[in-house]
Amino acid sequence: MNIIHVDKVSKTYGMKKSDKEYQILNEISFEVKEGEFIGVMGASGSGKTTLLNILGSLDKPTSGRIIMNGHDIATLSKKKLAVHRTENIGFIFQDYNLLETMTLKENIILPLALKGIDVNAIETKLLPLINDLGIEKVIDKYPYEVSGGEQQRAAACRALITKPRLILADEPTGNLDSKSSKGLLNLLTYINKEYKATILMVTHDVFAASYCQKIMFIHDGEIYNELFAGTDKKQFFDKIIQVMSVLGGERQ
Ligand SMILES: Nc1ncnc2c1ncn2[C@@H]1O[C@H](COP(=O)(O)OP(=O)(O)OP(=O)(O)O)[C@@H](O)[C@H]1O
Ligand SMILES: [Mg+2]
């Protein structure tokens, strides 16, 4: 079953019919099936974050449709969109988006607190997550008191705590060392398998990408190529490197 159907989505910035129109996405179409773990790769500036924001209904396409649960999300009212986002989608942003006036713990449990879930139930959900991501020691600190990697892990906990059907992650391992990266990727894999959460993850990192079942490469506003994991992980890894060396965009 499809969780998202992306139908000829385009995004342009700038004034129409002037010289300064930038076409970021050019009639992109694809489908995401329930339970898939998809990587999105492409050079810096190729439109990955733009695409993720459109899928998450944080941004609107210039044209085209995003069909989720049988509805074109662009046609939903603001109120319905907000409900749709909190109920169905977990975001892990490139720049964390933690609230500076709240501790990491308060940030993480915010989506549950907003739903009125009781404190004990919240603690039960919180503890395994913060243990898995190794942030139990810094949980009562404020974002400015912890490292970028710790903020990233807290942001991941916040996205995962509601067990959303769809997780949109923008370079979730971008600021993590290899141990924390593995921890986060294993957690995403676990959530994908156990909770059947569908994941779209933008990444520059071939190691992170090799956890996905499929990679979509974005180039010149279009889907340039798709790679499927298959059984041989090493072969998948090598193929990703090959495509990235043509397109550029892997950060070393
Ligand atoms: N609000 C905006 N107004 C005008 N141009 C924008 C806006 N947001 C993004 N862009 C441009 O759209 C292009 C795609 O940006 P986007 O952030 O989607 O790239 P990206 O693939 O996520 O890159 P990175 O890997 O560096 O994060 C860039 O050239 C960017 O400058
Ligand atoms: Mg980006």
Side-chain angles (χ1 to χ4, degrees), residues 55 156 160 188:
L55 295 182
L160 300 176
L188 287 175

Side-chain angles (χ1 to χ4, degrees), residues 58-181:
L58 297 171
D59 197 358
K60 288 202 168 177
T62 312
S63 62
R65 300 180 307 161
I66 314 282
I67 317 279
M68 276 184 88
N69 300 331
H71 299 282
D72 179 359
I73 53 175
T75 64
L76 292 180
S77 66
K78 267 196 172 160
K79 207 171 162 187
K80 281 196 173 151
L81 256 188
V83 173
H84 160 70
R85 271 199 300 264
T86 23
E87 298 275 307
N88 298 315
I89 304 179
F91 292 96
I92 309 177
F93 293 99
Q94 203 165 7
D95 51 4
Y96 329 128
N97 279 16
L98 294 172
L99 300 172
E100 292 294 330
T101 54
M102 289 188 177
T103 64
L104 297 192
K105 180 174 173 178
E106 288 163 347
N107 267 286
I108 294 168
I109 65 175
L110 188 63
L112 297 181
L114 289 175
K115 281 184 165 181
I117 293 173
D118 86 59
V119 180
N120 289 333
I122 288 180
E123 291 286 333
T124 317
K125 288 172 196 275
L126 181 71
L127 289 175
L129 268 181
I130 59 174
N131 282 328
D132 277 340
L133 283 174
I135 50 169
E136 58 278 38
K137 289 201 183 95
V138 291
I139 200 73
D140 291 317
K141 292 194 174 182
Y142 289 88
Y144 65 86
E145 296 176 307
V146 304
S147 72
E150 287 159 345
Q151 290 186 50
Q152 182 73 303
R153 283 179 274 163
C157 287
R158 181 188 53 189
L160 300 176
I161 203 160
T162 56
K163 302 208 173 81
R165 282 179 70 208
L166 176 64
I167 294 165
L168 299 173
D170 200 347
E171 294 189 46
T173 59
N175 287 298
L176 303 184
D177 59 30
S178 64
K179 185 164 170 266
S180 310
S181 276

Side-chain angles (χ1 to χ4, degrees), residues 1-6 30-38 67-70 84 87-89 163-167 189 191-200 213-214:
M1 204 181 97
N2 285 337
I3 186 163
I4 314 176
H5 177 129
V6 178
F30 61 93
E31 279 162 1
V32 179
K33 292 195 190 75
E34 190 109 51
E36 278 190 308
F37 186 174
I38 300 181
I67 317 279
M68 276 184 88
N69 300 331
H84 160 70
E87 298 275 307
N88 298 315
I89 304 179
K163 302 208 173 81
R165 282 179 70 208
L166 176 64
I167 294 165
T189 306
I191 282 172
N192 172 244
K193 292 223 163 75
E194 294 300 313
Y195 303 130
K196 313 271 178 274
T198 308
I199 305 177
L200 253 92
Q213 295 151 1
K214 173 178 145 185

Side-chain angles (χ1 to χ4, degrees), residues 13 24 42-51 94 170-171 204 251:
Y13 286 115
I24 310 301
S44 181
S46 58
K48 304 178 298 294
T49 297
T50 306
L51 177 65
Q94 203 165 7
D170 200 347
E171 294 189 46
H204 286 272
R251 279 186 195 139

